[in-house]
């Protein structure tokens, strides 16, 4: 079996889907080294000439002379030469047939206002063609699978679920100095991502923290959207909302494992990695009962109405004030999300490859 992996993730800016591609590639390499698949299975990453020198465990071949979309549409399929091509970051060559593409969610269809017109037009075309022409689609949750099937993008038997891993958070050493730098006390703050995409619904949290009962608690919003960006969007954050910007992995682990809760008020999610990462570190979640969030957080989360700031206030006050509740949710949630490892994801992918090969009556070329 000769398998190529779309290596555009090695040349792009930081992105969640590119991180998935990197981690899955490493997990596949580790399985190969342990003998989990036959020695005559050849896996390699085909990358553009501007790829970063990043060790993903698998051989990396730089191919072609172009970059970006043109590389992906022209140089990549030429280099694959008809061999099975796996793309982990939603995009793939438009005319590809012998391929599998991971579509992490259907949000470009269901919440189009979160994306620019050009982005959603090209991504919609890519997903539609991949679902119609390729061997199948990969996705990350049963919820995402149901949406892709319900939208008619591919039949159910050709959409395969490979949940994300979250155990990467265990590899970073916590850098607890960030707590003092931001003036945070353990369990005295809630954590969320600083994101203004409409479906992420973060302004709801800002409104919740404007309520008097949460005046003594801090909301930490991590990421590129700062106070000025929220203000420009008409969202005024109070003094108890902190914007540290981007943080490194060790700082993020310290913030995650010392938070009272990781909050995710999204109106939809294909998976919802931040609360799962928190649960992996023993921190409970407060989530909206939307998308895949209940599916992936299980018993480790309190649920709150994504349209009602008072519901988020009440959930956070329960976690702060009810003796034993936070610890109980943390135990239940940690046990539940222990299944979400990158090794398990890679093993699931291998079973999908076997199933696809069997359905075609032969191994992929």
């Amino acid at each position: 079996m000769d398998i190529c992996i779309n290596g555009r993730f090695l040349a792009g800016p930081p992105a969640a889907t590119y991180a998935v591609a990197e981690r899955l590639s490493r997990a596949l390499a580790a399985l190969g080294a342990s003998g989990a698949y036959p020695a005559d299975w050849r896996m390699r990453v085909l990358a553009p000439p501007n790829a970063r020198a990043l060790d993903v465990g698998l051989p990396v071949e730089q191919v072609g002379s172009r970059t970006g979309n043109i590389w992906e549409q022209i140089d990549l399929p030429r280099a694959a030469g008809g061999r099975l091509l796996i793309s982990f970051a939603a995009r793939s060559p438009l005319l590809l047939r012998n391929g599998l593409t991971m579509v992490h969610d259907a949000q470009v269809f269901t919440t189009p206002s979160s994306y620019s017109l050009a982005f959603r037009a090209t991504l919609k075309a890519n997903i539609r063609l991949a679902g119609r022409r390729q061997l199948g689609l990969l996705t990350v949750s049963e919820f995402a699978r149901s949406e892709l099937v319900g939208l008619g993008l591919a039949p159910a038997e050709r959409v395969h679920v490979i949940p994300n891993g979250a155990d990467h958070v265990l590899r970073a050493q916590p850098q607890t100095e960030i707590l003092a730098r931001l003036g945070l006390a353990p369990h005295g703050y809630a954590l969320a991502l600083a994101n203004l995409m409409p479906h992420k619904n973060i302004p709801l949290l800002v409104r919740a923290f404007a309520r008097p009962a949460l005046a003594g608690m801090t909301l930490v919003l991590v990421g590129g959207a700062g106070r000025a960006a929220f203000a420009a969007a008409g969202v005024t954050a109070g003094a108890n909302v902190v914007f540290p910007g981007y943080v490194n992995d060790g700082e993020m682990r310290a913030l995650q494992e010392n938070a009272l809760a990781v909050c995710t008020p999204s109106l939809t999610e294909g998976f919802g990695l931040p609360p799962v990462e928190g649960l992996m570190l023993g921190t409970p979640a407060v989530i909206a009962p939307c998308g895949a969030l209940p599916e992936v957080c299980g018993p480790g989360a309190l649920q709150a109405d994504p349209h009602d700031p008072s519901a988020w206030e009440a959930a956070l006050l329960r976690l702060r004030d009810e003796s034993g509740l936070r610890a109980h949710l943390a135990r239940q949630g940690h046990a539940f999300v222990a299944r979400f490892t990158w090794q398990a994801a890679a093993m699931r992918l291998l079973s999908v490859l076997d199933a696809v090969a069997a359905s075609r009556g032969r191994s992929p070329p």
Side-chain angles (χ1 to χ4, degrees):
M1 188 183 293
D2 198 346
I3 300 166
C4 300
I5 293 172
N6 181 345
R8 187 176 175 183
F9 69 91
L10 292 172
T17 56
Y18 286 177
V20 169
E22 179 184 328
R23 291 163 185 158
L24 267 174
S25 296
R26 285 203 179 99
L28 287 169
L31 288 179
S34 69
Y37 53 83
D40 62 353
W41 282 25
R42 186 182 181 198
M43 292 195 188
R44 54 192 161 161
V45 178
L46 301 180
N50 62 335
R52 291 173 290 131
L54 182 66
D55 181 11
V56 294
L58 296 172
V60 176
E61 299 178 14
Q62 291 188 340
V63 299
S65 59
R66 302 168 179 85
T67 60
N69 290 329
I70 298 176
W71 175 84
E72 194 166 50
Q73 297 304 320
I74 298 175
D75 293 347
L76 176 60
R78 284 179 179 171
R83 292 181 287 268
L84 178 63
L85 178 65
I86 304 175
S87 299
F88 290 127
R91 295 179 181 270
S92 57
L94 292 173
L95 301 181
L96 182 68
R97 289 194 178 275
N98 196 26
L100 292 165
T101 294
M102 179 170 278
V103 180
H104 295 254
D105 53 63
Q107 286 155 203
V108 72
F109 295 93
T110 60
T111 60
S113 62
S114 291
Y115 308 95
S116 70
L117 178 61
F119 180 89
R120 66 179 184 253
T122 56
L123 186 56
K124 282 180 176 181
N126 208 150
I127 294 171
R128 286 192 178 105
L129 283 170
R132 186 181 310 144
R133 297 172 61 91
Q134 294 181 24
L135 302 178
L137 299 179
L138 310 175
T139 194
V140 294
S141 66
E142 291 295 340
F143 171 79
R145 179 177 183 267
S146 69
E147 286 212 309
L148 295 171
V149 172
L151 289 165
L153 298 171
E157 65 273 13
R158 292 202 297 112
V159 183
H160 311 280
V161 176
I162 301 176
N164 286 325
D167 53 324
H168 54 272
V169 298
L170 303 175
R171 301 188 186 106
Q173 291 299 310
Q175 297 179 18
T176 55
E177 300 86 356
I178 193 172
L179 300 182
R181 177 162 65 83
L182 298 178
L184 302 173
H187 305 171
Y189 63 94
L191 182 68
L193 295 184
N195 193 308
L196 283 165
M197 297 174 79
H199 73 274
K200 295 294 186 180
N201 197 31
I202 299 300
L204 176 281
L205 290 179
V206 176
R207 292 195 296 274
F209 273 77
R211 298 176 69 84
L214 292 183
M217 191 183 297
T218 301
L219 173 63
V220 180
L221 296 179
V222 175
R227 186 177 299 275
F230 273 74
V235 182
T236 302
N240 62 339
V241 182
V242 173
F243 295 88
Y246 289 111
V247 299
N248 65 36
D249 290 346
E251 292 170 332
M252 188 63 175
R253 174 169 180 172
L255 289 171
Q256 287 170 318
E257 62 189 4
N258 286 285
L260 178 68
V262 176
C263 294
T264 310
S266 303
L267 302 175
T268 185
E269 287 286 351
F271 188 83
L273 195 54
V276 177
E277 289 176 336
L279 290 167
M280 186 68 74
L281 293 169
T283 298
V286 182
I287 61 171
C290 301
L293 290 170
E295 176 186 338
V296 301
C297 294
L302 295 179
Q303 297 185 11
D305 186 335
H307 305 290
D308 182 4
S310 68
W312 292 77
E313 173 192 42
L316 289 166
L317 292 176
R318 283 189 63 197
L319 282 172
R320 186 190 69 181
D321 297 337
E322 288 188 23
S323 176
L325 176 60
R326 184 184 185 279
H328 171 73
L329 290 172
R331 285 193 303 271
Q332 295 290 314
H334 183 268
F336 182 81
V337 303
R339 72 194 72 184
F340 295 129
T341 69
W342 291 108
Q343 181 185 54
M347 288 293 293
R348 174 61 185 151
L349 177 57
L350 294 182
S351 70
V352 170
L353 292 174
D354 277 338
V356 167
S359 70
R360 290 163 61 88
R362 59 179 177 84
S363 294

